[in-house]
Amino acid sequence: MNKIAQIFDSLDYGPAPEAPDQAIAWLDARGRRFGHFIDGKWTSPGKTFTADNPATGASLAEITDGTPADVDAAVKAARAAFKSWGALSGYERGRYLYAIARMIQKHSRLFAVLETMDNGKPIRESRDADIPLVVRHFYHHAGWATHLEREFPGMVPYGVCGQIIPWNFPLLMLAWKIAPALAAGNTVVLKPAEFTSLTALLFAEICERVGLPKGVVNIVTGQGDTGAAIVDHPGIDKIAFTGSTEVGKLIRAATAGTGKGLSLELGGKSPYIVFEDADLDSAVEGLVEAIWFNQGQVCCAGSRLLVQESIEERFIAKVKRRMASLRVGDPLDKSIDIGALVAPVQVERIRDLMKKGVAEGAVVYEPEGTVPAKGCFLKPALVTNVSPANTLVAEEIFGPVLVAMSFRTPEEAVALANNTRYGLAATLWSENINLALDIAPKLKAGVVWINGTNNFDAAVGFGGYKESGFGREGGREGMSVYLKPGWEKTLKAAAPDATPAKAGASRNPLDARHLDQTAKMYVGGRQARPDSGYSRPVLGPDGGLVGEVGEGNRKDIRNAVEAARAALGWGTVAAHARAQILYFLAENLDYRRDEFAARIAAQTGDDGADEVARAVERLFAFAGWADKYDGAVHNPPLRAIAAAMVEPLGVLGIVAPDRQPLLGSVALLAPAIAMGNTVVLVPSSRAPLSMTDFYQVLETSDVPAGVVNIVTGDSLTLAKTLAEHDGVDGLWFLGSAEGSAMVEKASVGNLKQTWTSRGLAYDLAAPQFAGDYLLAKATQVKNVWIPYGA
Ligand code: ADP
């Protein structure tokens, strides 16, 4: 038989190799040794490490291991460049971004081949997914730069951004970091991952070619230590990191108290839910994309298959059949589905995890056939017979390994889906629109794909909930993490608190006038006595005893968090209804204004009437916001829309400032509950009685039990407990610089979002606190992708 006839007979793929010549010529022309790109110039290579091709083991180039001195030089260059770059008009910056997009597009094949050689991903993916998305990202952000002044009035860039990226999408992660940073007017020092520096270095050449002003983009190569040097450098104003949750936590701790901006895009263990009414063949194809795209080395990989029991057998059989036709091999072959993993150490890691999972009872299926003997190849694997506690279910594997479990009811699917410390993405398949749109809001993930998966676009924010990090990349949300309000940069240190008044003669605990004045805490809609059994005095400006409140402790906070979690349904109450309740609160507080004014004056000596009036106005303002601060619908260049839904953080801890005993709490409470959060509030330590009075207003205003919980006591002690509590999703702390650093550090456990005042003089009465500044901090955006117009 001749060859063509044979092919017709076997229907087998022939080789379809992509030529590496241009990429090799590019490497050769540079002597296969690279320094850093700092201040528009190439440094001579220093101490180097080798970049290998993981598909062949061949060495590609020597890459310089950046030292702290290199980082320092790059930060200095970026600082010097910031002045003029930040001062360019948005339109001028947009023109550079546009030129970068065009130039990458022009050299897209070189980028794709180099990426595949360096990373091991199939050329089909680097050519058709990674690089086109990179180009799209720069185009999109050229537009944001142009419209910055109109769309983000009053916002200014951070300054110098340190950006640290992983190896799974080397150039794409660079684009996600650099494009918005530059559009906003920042300059950057970026470190690519040690396994994959080459396309970042080629990108530096693109910056040279388009004449980007020197120092605007600096590329420093290196390993973890180089990344740490960037994080620790005092000249960096903001850190943006994508990588493992483990390193993300180190960075959270290292930046605590420094005032550096921080956005983290971390790991995931994303659920892929298939309901019994799904289009099963499409769901199988989606699954291939979800878990075997990029060899499963994707932070949002749909690595946990949850399939409805009634179709489990049929679906798993289809998956296995499909797995048998996946082609593993040379990533430069255009008809390969699964290429090489990034490095031998990753292959070993995955094998070890699999062994552990099997020892715990998992059953592994791999299709017949062989993979190339040389290079970092693994077969696709399907793992069954696992419980949620199995290592393979709980841990992020970052490889071509799918774990499958079944569920009976939609409720069970949601419970299993959310049973993870991560919250990056989720996929669900159902032909029933009601079911799909009922489940999507219940999934705790920053991105939800309905009847599709792994869709990305520059206009649509991407980022996680829970331990998958905070901040978004792409779209308006992505721009906003590179901008801050101009007034924030002008904040002065808060004046030190007046020395606490000494207890005067009347502070006699047995004094009959004071015996029954201990105000209770408020937990779960009920007055609560402190667990400690102790109370603390509240003194007036002259030292006289005004009253007593409970000395809250760890147990009281735990009870309050439990009550707040039980009340999370508040987040799904219609925004109109939440607005009504806030209006009612305003009305009832206003009704009792004299009493509240007198209480403020008694505790602080300040004009209480003015403060009450402002608190009423703030409740009114956020009642007005409750049904207006909402999402958007994006139109990505795919047959889908992405509904950007504004969701509450969940349980928000609020540690109010010492000053302004009523307004200081109400100004923070109002936006938090307007957006659907439930709150554990620690009011002013020194003047807590205004808020213990306030729960009577809460009770008369139909605020459901558990939505607002009030624990009195020492602010710092209670803040620490809140920061360490994994049931708290976000924490606002208004207090000293030291307290702020402590809160940020202690929040590492579940990576809760924090906002701290760092000892600066935030004037909560100022108009900027009556709008989106606090609303944005009280919320996170979930993008739900829905097929549309297909
Ligand atoms: P992955 O698991 O994807 O390899 P890592 O979190 O280890 O992710 O790495 C992501 C990036 O973070 C890489 O560029 C790596 O060099 C860098 N990195 C590793 N350790 C640190 C650290 N302690 N501080 C800052 N960056 C680090």
Side-chain angles (χ1 to χ4, degrees):
M1 247 190 316
N2 65 30
K3 203 149 184 250
I4 292 178
Q6 273 173 356
I7 290 172
F8 267 116
D9 199 36
S10 68
L11 280 184
D12 220 355
Y13 285 92
E18 172 78 29
D21 308 8
Q22 299 279 336
I24 288 172
W26 182 83
L27 288 168
D28 287 343
R30 280 139 196 88
R32 295 192 180 234
R33 278 174 73 75
F34 291 87
H36 311 297
F37 182 69
I38 296 175
D39 204 19
K41 292 184 283 289
W42 291 92
T43 65
S44 325
K47 192 170 145 262
T48 60
F49 55 88
T50 309
D52 293 330
N53 179 339
T56 63
S59 119
L60 293 172
E62 289 298 307
I63 307 290
T64 297
D65 200 3
T67 62
D70 296 332
V71 170
D72 189 50
V75 173
K76 288 204 170 96
R79 173 65 55 202
F82 173 61
K83 229 173 156 191
S84 46
W85 178 253
L88 288 183
S89 73
Y91 167 60
E92 286 167 304
R93 285 199 302 275
R95 286 172 65 105
Y96 282 107
L97 291 170
Y98 177 79
I100 290 173
R102 294 270 290 145
M103 197 62 99
I104 296 176
Q105 200 164 28
K106 181 169 160 186
H107 295 288
S108 56
R109 192 55 71 95
L110 174 59
F111 270 110
V113 173
L114 195 61
E115 195 78 301
T116 283
M117 288 169 69
D118 201 15
N119 168 280
K121 63 174 66 204
I123 183 73
R124 201 163 51 81
E125 293 177 6
S126 53
R127 182 196 62 194
D128 299 345
D130 291 55
I131 309 302
L133 281 168
V134 167
V135 171
R136 162 103 181 110
H137 222 74
F138 279 102
Y139 277 132
H140 179 79
H141 285 87
W144 276 124
T146 311
H147 297 296
L148 196 72
E149 287 89 357
R150 271 181 297 277
E151 289 297 308
F152 294 93
M155 302 292 273
V156 296
Y158 275 82
V160 177
C161 297
Q163 306 185 314
I164 299 163
I165 57 172
W167 43 258
N168 55 345
F169 294 93
L171 191 70
L172 185 58
M173 293 301 105
L174 173 149
W176 282 19
K177 295 276 178 293
I178 289 186
L182 261 49
N186 301 278
T187 56
V188 307
V189 175
L190 177 135
K191 189 193 88 63
E194 48 271 46
F195 294 135
T196 54
S197 310
L198 294 176
T199 48
L201 296 168
L202 176 56
F203 176 82
E205 288 191 5
I206 297 285
C207 295
E208 281 183 300
R209 291 238 205 126
V210 304
L212 190 72
K214 66 185 175 115
V216 170
V217 168
N218 303 275
I219 308 284
V220 178
T221 50
Q223 313 189 43
D225 289 351
T226 315
I230 294 177
V231 170
D232 293 338
H233 197 292
I236 295 269
D237 301 304
K238 182 205 157 69
I239 294 288
F241 172 78
T242 298
S244 58
T245 292
E246 189 192 349
V247 174
K249 288 186 174 183
L250 290 177
I251 293 178
R252 166 69 289 186
T255 53
T258 62
K260 286 176 185 160
L262 182 62
S263 44
L264 298 173
E265 202 266 88
L266 308 175
K269 189 76 188 181
S270 299
Y272 188 99
I273 310 169
V274 184
F275 287 101
E276 60 189 358
D277 62 1
D279 170 350
L280 296 193
D281 292 320
S282 297
V284 169
E285 284 315 302
L287 189 60
V288 169
E289 178 77 10
I291 183 62
W292 291 302
F293 177 62
N294 204 23
Q295 296 69 246
Q297 303 167 126
V298 182
C299 46
C300 57
S303 52
R304 277 189 302 141
L305 170 65
L306 305 176
V307 56
Q308 199 151 12
E309 203 177 72
S310 48
I311 52 155
E312 185 185 7
E313 229 179 279
R314 202 147 59 93
F315 190 73
I316 295 287
K318 278 178 186 282
V319 173
K320 286 185 176 167
R321 206 171 317 132
R322 184 66 178 86
M323 285 171 77
S325 67
L326 290 171
R327 307 188 74 232
V328 184
D330 177 10
L332 275 177
D333 184 328
K334 290 175 208 130
S335 48
I336 281 296
D337 299 304
I338 299 181
L341 286 107
V342 75
V345 50
Q346 283 302 109
V347 176
E348 279 317 302
R349 202 186 136 264
I350 295 165
R351 287 204 175 117
D352 286 350
L353 280 170
M354 301 269 283
K355 269 190 216 140
K356 210 160 162 218
V358 168
E360 291 164 8
V363 174
V364 177
Y365 167 82
E366 288 177 352
E368 302 278 303
T370 54
V371 299
K374 221 171 124 213
C376 302
F377 294 96
L378 281 177
K379 283 187 185 180
L382 169 65
V383 177
T384 51
N385 199 38
V386 284
S387 71
N390 189 289
T391 301
L392 297 174
V393 180
E395 295 295 318
E396 183 178 34
I397 300 173
F398 228 63
V401 183
L402 174 69
V403 292
M405 290 189 289
S406 65
F407 65 87
R408 285 195 178 157
T409 62
E411 293 69 37
E412 199 190 343
V414 170
L416 280 171
N418 290 337
N419 182 19
T420 163
R421 62 194 177 111
Y422 298 112
L424 194 49
T427 301
L428 71 96
W429 288 81
S430 166
E431 290 298 289
N432 180 342
I433 187 171
N434 297 318
L435 178 67
L437 296 180
D438 175 45
I439 298 299
K442 295 178 178 158
L443 297 172
K444 298 280 170 247
V447 184
V448 175
W449 291 295
I450 295 177
N451 293 342
T453 202
N454 270 356
N455 296 325
F456 307 102
D457 183 54
V460 185
F462 180 89
Y465 283 23
K466 304 198 282 189
E467 290 186 39
S468 292
F470 43 75
R472 295 286 179 268
E473 298 188 288
R476 180 179 286 275
E477 304 97 83
M479 278 303 292
S480 66
V481 301
Y482 285 98
L483 292 161
K484 56 159 82 178
W487 57 259
E488 249 191 26
K489 287 198 168 179
T490 64
L491 287 172
K492 302 265 182 310
D497 285 330
T499 356
K502 293 258 176 337
S506 69
R507 199 194 161 274
N508 170 3
L510 293 182
D511 187 327
R513 284 174 302 156
H514 303 309
L515 263 183
D516 58 354
Q517 284 190 348
T518 301
K520 306 277 184 315
M521 307 194 201
Y522 188 61
V523 174
R526 273 200 284 272
Q527 300 189 18
R529 285 177 196 284
D531 168 73
S532 68
Y534 293 108
S535 53
R536 55 194 281 132
V538 180
L539 306 180
D542 59 357
L545 185 68
V546 185
E548 291 188 76
V549 293
E551 184 74 67
N553 66 11
R554 183 173 287 274
K555 181 82 194 309
D556 298 307
I557 291 285
R558 278 211 300 265
N559 292 342
V561 172
E562 200 178 312
R565 290 218 80 79
L568 281 172
W570 173 245
T572 59
V573 166
H576 170 73
R578 290 200 301 267
Q580 293 307 108
I581 287 177
L582 277 149
Y583 280 127
F584 203 19
L585 270 172
E587 191 186 322
N588 285 328
L589 180 60
D590 198 39
Y591 183 67
R592 298 173 60 172
R593 59 185 171 271
D594 295 343
E595 178 195 327
F596 272 85
R599 186 68 117 173
I600 291 168
Q603 294 175 100
T604 66
D606 295 339
D607 172 13
D610 181 60
E611 192 178 323
V612 178
R614 285 169 188 274
V616 171
E617 182 245 292
R618 222 25 92 77
L619 287 165
F620 208 76
F622 284 108
W625 272 119
D627 60 353
K628 291 172 195 66
Y629 187 78
D630 55 11
V633 177
H634 299 303
N635 261 305
L638 295 160
R639 294 203 170 274
I641 51 168
M645 306 299 295
V646 173
E647 294 194 342
L649 295 183
V651 173
L652 190 59
I654 297 180
V655 181
D658 251 353
R659 285 158 207 275
Q660 296 181 308
L662 181 68
L663 181 68
S665 284
V666 169
L668 303 173
L669 199 55
I673 62 174
M675 291 295 101
N677 296 282
T678 60
V679 173
V680 176
L681 172 77
V682 177
S684 161
S685 296
R686 294 182 52 196
L689 293 172
S690 297
M691 291 314 290
T692 50
D693 291 347
F694 190 75
Y695 63 61
Q696 293 156 16
V697 181
L698 291 168
E699 276 172 349
T700 50
S701 306
D702 300 339
V703 178
V707 170
V708 179
N709 305 278
I710 300 172
V711 179
T712 51
D714 177 63
S715 296
L716 276 182
T717 311
L718 299 178
K720 184 153 189 288
T721 306
L722 279 169
E724 288 168 348
H725 199 305
D726 283 353
V728 177
D729 302 298
L731 181 53
W732 295 353
F733 174 86
L734 279 91
S736 65
E738 302 73 44
S740 299
M742 176 275 288
V743 159
E744 288 173 6
K745 205 168 213 134
S747 71
V748 160
N750 69 344
L751 281 175
K752 58 178 64 67
Q753 303 198 24
T754 57
W755 170 51
T756 63
S757 69
R758 302 188 296 113
L760 298 172
Y762 281 82
D763 173 14
L764 291 176
Q768 62 259 29
F769 294 103
D772 57 359
Y773 181 75
L774 290 179
L775 294 167
K777 293 187 189 308
T779 54
Q780 54 196 338
V781 176
K782 170 193 274 178
N783 274 283
V784 183
W785 289 71
I786 306 163
Y788 189 80

